[in-house]
Amino acid sequence: MEIIRRGAEAILYIDCFEGMKVLVKERIKKSYRLEALDKKLRVERTRREANLMREARKVGVNTPQIFHVDEENCKIIMELIDGKRLKDILDSMNEEMVRKIFVEVGKYVGKMHAADIIHGDLTTSNILVKDDKIYFIDFGLGYFSNRIEDKGTDLSLFKESIRATHPNVLNLCWQNIVIGYKQTFIDCEKVFKRVDEIEKRARYVERSAKD
C-alpha cells in the first residue's frame, strides 16, 4: 500500500484489486464524533461520492472508473489515472493549449450541471490531464442540486481558485470555460448572471469589512 495523500477527511493510496493496480479513497474515523454518527456520516458521504462519479460518467464526463464501493469500511476502489494535475502544468502551457483545455473543462462542467451534479471543489488540483484527456476527481464535497444558485456558486468558487493559484492566466481560463460551458448547458446565461451576483455580494462584504 502506497499512500498518495492524507487529508482531513480521507486518505488516498495505491493498492491491488482483482490483480489490478487501483486507487483507494478511504474515509477516516473521527474520534471527536459519536461512533455511530461518525460511521453513518462516512458511509453516506462515501455512497454519495461514488454516485456522483458514476452519474458524471453517464453524461460523458471523464472520471476514474469505480470498481467497487466498500461501504462497511468507507472505501471507494477506483481506476488509477496516471496523469498530471492541471495545477502543476498550467503555468507551463502555451496559450493555444490553455484555450483547448479550458474549453473542454467548461464543456464538462456544463454537462455536470445539466445533470444537476455539483462538484463542490472545482480547482485545477482536482483535474487530471493524461494523453490530452482531462479527468475530474475528488467529488467528496459534491452533491445533487437543480438550483441555479448552487451551480453559480460552483463556478464562482472555481473562478476564485484559478484567481488564487494562476492569476496570470485567469482571464484566458475563464473566457474559455464560458465558451465550453455554453455548449453543454442550456441555462448557462442564468448561471453566469448568478456568478456575477455572487461576485458583487462578495465585493460588498469585503468593502463593508474594511469600513
Side-chain angles (χ1 to χ4, degrees):
M1 184 177 81
E2 177 188 348
I3 295 178
I4 300 298
R5 192 173 75 217
R6 187 184 296 272
E9 296 294 325
I11 58 171
L12 290 173
Y13 56 89
I14 297 174
D15 208 343
C16 285
F17 177 75
E18 296 184 351
M20 296 179 293
K21 186 181 282 190
V22 296
L23 182 68
V24 180
K25 181 171 185 176
E26 179 179 347
R27 279 188 164 74
I28 55 181
K29 294 180 180 179
K30 296 291 188 180
S31 58
Y32 59 82
R33 289 194 294 236
L34 291 172
E35 187 173 348
L37 175 61
D38 179 70
K39 181 65 178 289
K40 180 175 183 289
L41 288 172
R42 288 188 296 120
V43 168
E44 287 177 352
R45 290 169 183 174
T46 299
R47 184 185 299 143
R48 182 178 63 210
E49 182 170 9
N51 286 340
L52 287 163
M53 292 174 68
R54 288 185 179 122
E55 290 304 311
R57 284 178 66 86
K58 283 181 184 178
V59 297
V61 177
N62 295 328
T63 70
Q65 183 179 351
I66 294 175
F67 299 125
H68 180 63
V69 180
D70 179 356
E71 291 189 2
E72 178 61 29
N73 294 299
C74 303
K75 296 179 182 181
I76 301 175
I77 300 167
M78 67 188 95
E79 178 185 6
L80 176 64
I81 306 293
D82 186 22
K84 295 181 178 179
R85 295 191 310 170
L86 182 54
K87 178 181 180 180
D88 297 332
I89 60 176
L90 177 55
D91 291 335
S92 64
M93 288 181 176
N94 61 40
E95 186 172 319
E96 182 182 352
M97 182 58 72
V98 174
R99 290 182 188 279
K100 179 181 176 183
I101 289 286
F102 278 88
V103 167
E104 289 301 301
V105 167
K107 286 180 183 178
Y108 285 141
V109 176
K111 286 182 178 183
M112 285 191 276
H113 286 182
D116 292 336
I117 297 168
I118 308 300
H119 183 279
D121 195 15
L122 289 171
T123 70
T124 53
S125 292
N126 289 331
I127 299 172
L128 299 181
V129 181
K130 180 186 179 184
D131 299 332
D132 293 330
K133 291 178 67 176
I134 61 173
Y135 296 80
F136 285 77
I137 61 171
D138 198 353
F139 286 70
L141 297 178
Y143 55 97
F144 292 99
S145 172
N146 61 6
R147 297 175 67 239
I148 293 296
E149 176 76 15
D150 293 335
K151 293 167 186 179
T153 299
D154 212 24
L155 273 180
S156 179
L157 291 175
F158 191 18
K159 187 176 182 180
E160 287 308 306
S161 77
I162 298 171
R163 189 194 307 279
T165 53
H166 314 281
N168 294 336
V169 290
L170 169 63
N171 290 337
L172 182 62
C173 294
W174 181 248
Q175 288 165 7
N176 287 282
I177 288 171
V178 169
I179 290 169
Y181 191 85
K182 285 181 175 180
Q183 295 177 29
T184 54
F185 187 41
I186 194 169
D187 284 333
C188 59
E189 295 303 335
K190 292 180 182 178
V191 176
F192 291 130
K193 181 180 179 182
R194 193 58 55 92
V195 170
D196 289 340
E197 291 171 358
I198 291 168
E199 290 180 343
K200 287 176 184 175
R201 292 200 299 258
R203 286 195 293 269
Y204 175 78
V205 170
E206 186 177 337
R207 284 197 302 269
S208 297
K210 290 178 180 178
D211 292 343

